[in-house]
Amino acid sequence: MYPDYMAESLRKVEQSRPRRLELARKPDPVYPPMNEDERRAVLEGFHPDFEPSARRNVCVGPNKGESLTTEVADLLESHSWLRSEQVDLSKPDVETDMLIIGGGGAGCNAALVAMREHGIRSVIATKLRMGDSNSMMSQGGMQAAVSRTDSPTRHYLDAIGGGHFENKPELVRALTEDGPGVVKWLEDLGVVWDKEQDGSMKVMHGGGTSRKRMLSCRDYTGAMIMRTLMDEVRNHPDMISVKEFMPAVELIMDDAGRCAGAVLYNMDSEEFITVKAKSTVIATGGYGRLHIRGYDTTNHYGATGDGLVMAYRAGAKLMYMDSVQYHPTGVSFPEQIAGFLVTEAIRGAGGQPLNKDGELFVFPREPRDIEASAIIRECVQNGGGVPTPSGRLGVWLDSPLIDMLHGEGYTEKHFPAMYRQFIRYGIDIAKLPMLIYPSLHYQNGGIEINERCETDLPGLYVAGEASGGLHGRNRLMGNSVLDYNVFGRRAGKYASEYAKSVKLGKLSVAHLDAYEKQLADANVQTELVTPILLPSYAPKDVKKRQLVRGGNSLPGASVLQNRLHDERADA
Amino acid sequence: MGSAPAGAGGVLSSSQEDGQQGKAVGSLVTVYIMGKAYEVPAEATIMGAIEYAGHQIIRGAGCREGYCGACATIYRLPGDYKIRTGLACMTMVEEGMTLAQIPSVPAEKAIYDIEKLKPNVTAIQQMYPTVFRCVACNTCTKSCPQGLQVMDYVQAAKRGDIAAVMDLSFDCVVCGLCMLRCPAEITQPLMGIMAKRLYGRYLRKESPELAERVKAVEDGAYAAEYAELMKMGREDLSKRYYARDSE
Ligand SMILES: Cc1cc2nc3c(=O)[nH]c(=O)nc-3n(C[C@H](O)[C@H](O)[C@H](O)COP(=O)(O)OP(=O)(O)OC[C@H]3O[C@@H](n4cnc5c(N)ncnc54)[C@H](O)[C@@H]3O)c2cc1C
Ligand code: SF4
Ligand code: SF4
Ligand code: FES
């Protein structure tokens, strides 16, 4: 239940509801959408990326001299777990055609396509259990231009406008043109899409869409897709070998500068395992668990940006790593679920963001960065936020409108996960609004790829959230579920073709020594050892007393503690 | 700029930025994590409590938001004989709670070729024959942290009613708690996944416009328009974007 002091504000929300319901029933927008200048002003004034300490120049590696998100620069300017003399590459522990790093949606798609269409065997090495990933969590849906009023080129225009025209065009074309085919691919594997009575796909709006294009599986879209893909992967143990709790910690190269596999770390026995592979796919997802700028996150436990740093040390260039996506609607209250995602589909179905006086202050379906910035502005500048008992701020997201617009019981039927999450704390979202604030959600940029998922390094392919270029500096809702399917499949295809022809030379991890030297030459002082693998949520005082396993620049030290935030005084 | 809603109540949540932790607010309760006593904030989730105690969870946490089923937990409360079940990321601690996480429940997934199955009772008989051992004790339903009617979907499976299994098991997070408690050793969530796939593959209503669209793309129907859009400079694209109509 909401604390008593919020009653007054809740009453105002209720009072303005009939009027806002009328607005919602009309075809016109319930609040005027911003034009280009207004968008720029709210972004530059209030988006966390524009705070003065949000970015800094990175001083080593392929993007040297470029301004990146501060936490990302910290991540890149860190020590490896390994030095070259620690691994014996003359006899790799495992040999395979294709190594896929990350068992989320992109990784599973790559493995399935490699096997089914190219007869290629693969190893999926993943950090937690297979499917423990951001892919499992997407609620709102996947964009694909399937309805008759829509077209793939219209989807292209929406995506590229949402990304402020900075997206790589060939990637956006691949995304939008492959979209309808992905819907069918998943349906044939057994994904249960939401449909209308006549069998046509149920489509909804999302932020930045000009046609209803969001496909869903109730609000368990990601879980439905992910479990279907995983189940199919597990139907082929002879072709796809899955290694759980075996994250990759560094890439292996050959003497001709090709990527040739990776060194894995067995989290149980704490030993390193070498995998030689003709082609390697990074599908490690995003970085929400870096808690950039101290924000809560919607991401899964293993989202620590590992792929970025591994690829960077090996020489792959990153793109748009100065831009972070904060989801406009993370939970602000109850505290126990702070940061959790409230799906954008709530706004797609008619939910409206309101200030403490129960008034609209932004069009509910602006692109994400604009919507999030407008919410921050309303709280920070206009004093329109509602404080929570612990001192967070939030604005209302008026969900009861949904049943009023679509019929009683709609919310519970179509948003069961959301409904469940709140009812546990005595809040019935069909009757009461939710209190929300932006939450760290998505890595807009990543390792730069082309439409074949190729990187600067021959033999290294990247797909999904770990990649950069597709979304420009702002991804629209529904385009990343499509992303991991489209580009996961493409990575499977192109990495298979490559694996069939390549002849690898002598293996080495000498790039780690070279990188260490770059750090020394640039006079970087850091204790951070990466990839981070898992964040630590032990209280600070406990951490101080704990055995120091991380925060330890000694090579080979076993690192499970994330000291990233402790390192930075102003974090 | 103070735009991050940093709260002193950070210890309560399982999705907190670690820098905010360390300050206990409000009252503490005693919980027994695998038998050992710890004082933790009364408002914490079980996952929050385990981490507050200083554990680094390796198995037993995935999504941290109630979707993945990695955090299955069993517990007892003082003076209560019942074994209770919950998701650690979603369940609050209580005074005197004694708990253990069950990060993995041994179970064999049936290996099958979906193209060779039919959406009927035969598929269930062949792939998950244990379903027919159900003694209708309802233990599975009582142990489901998602509040699903698990026994009902098992019964539906026995009848070969794949659509009902799909509907009733839709929100299953595969935590495995039902199959751990089932006296008949049935692997409900695995059977549920197969049934959902069978529904999606065979019992769905076909979408005519989807097939048409897939064909149009294959025929290159959009190639010319793509070429035009991809040639446009930022300014023209921007004009086209802001002038587009909306549904
Ligand atoms: C709560 C939530 C809701 C979302 N909702 C939507 C939505 O409605 N629509 C939409 O389009 N998008 C949504 N997204 C975004 C979308 O789900 C993700 O961007 C997408 O699933 C990423 O897929 P992926 O395969 O690239 O990465 P992931 O699915 O995250 O998979 C990456 C995998 O790699 C593993 N891994 C990480 N590091 C290593 C390592 N070092 N070695 C080995 N394995 C490693 C991870 O543990 C994980 O299993 C949502 C995201 C979240 C968090
Ligand atoms: S049906 Fe079984 S596996 Fe699925 S959520 Fe319920 S208890 Fe967990
Ligand atoms: S617990 Fe097992 S035996 Fe009991 S009702 Fe459920 S499936 Fe049947
Ligand atoms: S951690 Fe995924 S359900 Fe609890």
Side-chain angles (χ1 to χ4, degrees), chain A residues 115-134:
Chain A
M115 171 199 78
R116 286 163 68 125
E117 290 165 27
H118 304 271
I120 290 278
R121 276 176 215 277
S122 61
V123 170
I124 300 181
T126 196
K127 183 176 341 189
L128 301 164
R129 302 175 314 167
M130 183 150 69
D132 289 348
S133 63
N134 285 357

Side-chain angles (χ1 to χ4, degrees), chain A residues 129 132, chain B residues 47 60-72 87-90 173:
Chain A
R129 302 175 314 167
D132 289 348
Chain B
M47 187 172 286
C63 67
R64 307 171 69 99
E65 290 191 21
Y67 286 92
C68 75
C71 63
L87 298 174
C89 64
M90 290 282 120
V173 297

Side-chain angles (χ1 to χ4, degrees), chain A residues 180-201:
Chain A
V182 158
V183 179
K184 181 151 173 35
W185 150 257
L186 292 175
E187 190 161 72
D188 287 344
L189 282 174
V191 164
V192 183
W193 294 112
D194 293 337
K195 299 232 168 165
E196 301 293 349
Q197 287 296 340
D198 67 352
S200 59
M201 309 297 296

Side-chain angles (χ1 to χ4, degrees), chain B residues 70-166:
Chain B
C71 63
T73 301
I74 54 173
Y75 61 94
R76 276 199 164 98
L77 297 172
D80 186 353
Y81 67 92
K82 277 202 183 103
I83 285 251
R84 295 169 188 266
T85 53
L87 298 174
C89 64
M90 290 282 120
T91 311
M92 312 280 285
V93 293
E94 290 177 55
E95 175 59 44
M97 178 185 258
T98 165
L99 64 94
Q101 282 203 288
I102 313 280
S104 160
V105 177
E108 195 176 348
K109 186 196 114 56
I111 303 278
Y112 56 86
D113 178 350
I114 192 148
E115 295 303 323
K116 298 215 173 97
L117 291 184
K118 294 206 170 61
N120 57 24
V121 74
T122 315
I124 307 279
Q125 276 162 345
Q126 284 172 349
M127 296 302 145
Y128 289 105
T130 51
V131 161
F132 296 89
R133 293 164 41 101
C134 174
V135 295
C137 66
N138 209 31
T139 307
C140 48
T141 299
K142 281 190 274 184
S143 53
C144 178
Q146 290 287 86
L148 304 183
Q149 298 301 315
V150 189
M151 182 176 81
D152 293 357
Y153 84 65
V154 170
Q155 294 300 330
K158 283 168 69 177
R159 297 192 306 270
D161 186 348
I162 301 293
V165 183
M166 180 280 290

Side-chain angles (χ1 to χ4, degrees), chain A residues 106 127 132-135 138 140-141 248 300 306 341 442 465 478 480-481:
Chain A
K127 183 176 341 189
D132 289 348
S133 63
N134 285 357
S135 296
S138 54
H300 87 287
D306 299 352
L341 182 73
Y442 187 77
E465 193 167 343
S480 49
V481 171

Side-chain angles (χ1 to χ4, degrees), chain A residues 326-343:
Chain A
Y326 296 86
H327 194 288
T329 57
V331 175
S332 184
F333 182 88
E335 228 75 58
Q336 290 87 348
I337 56 172
F340 284 29
L341 182 73
V342 175
T343 170

Side-chain angles (χ1 to χ4, degrees), chain B residues 178-201:
Chain B
C178 56
M179 59 180 174
L180 187 71
R181 302 283 283 144
C182 174
E185 279 108 4
I186 295 166
T187 53
Q188 299 88 336
L190 303 185
M191 179 275 286
I193 289 175
M194 185 182 78
K196 278 173 272 197
R197 290 191 62 188
L198 286 172
Y199 182 92
R201 174 71 187 82

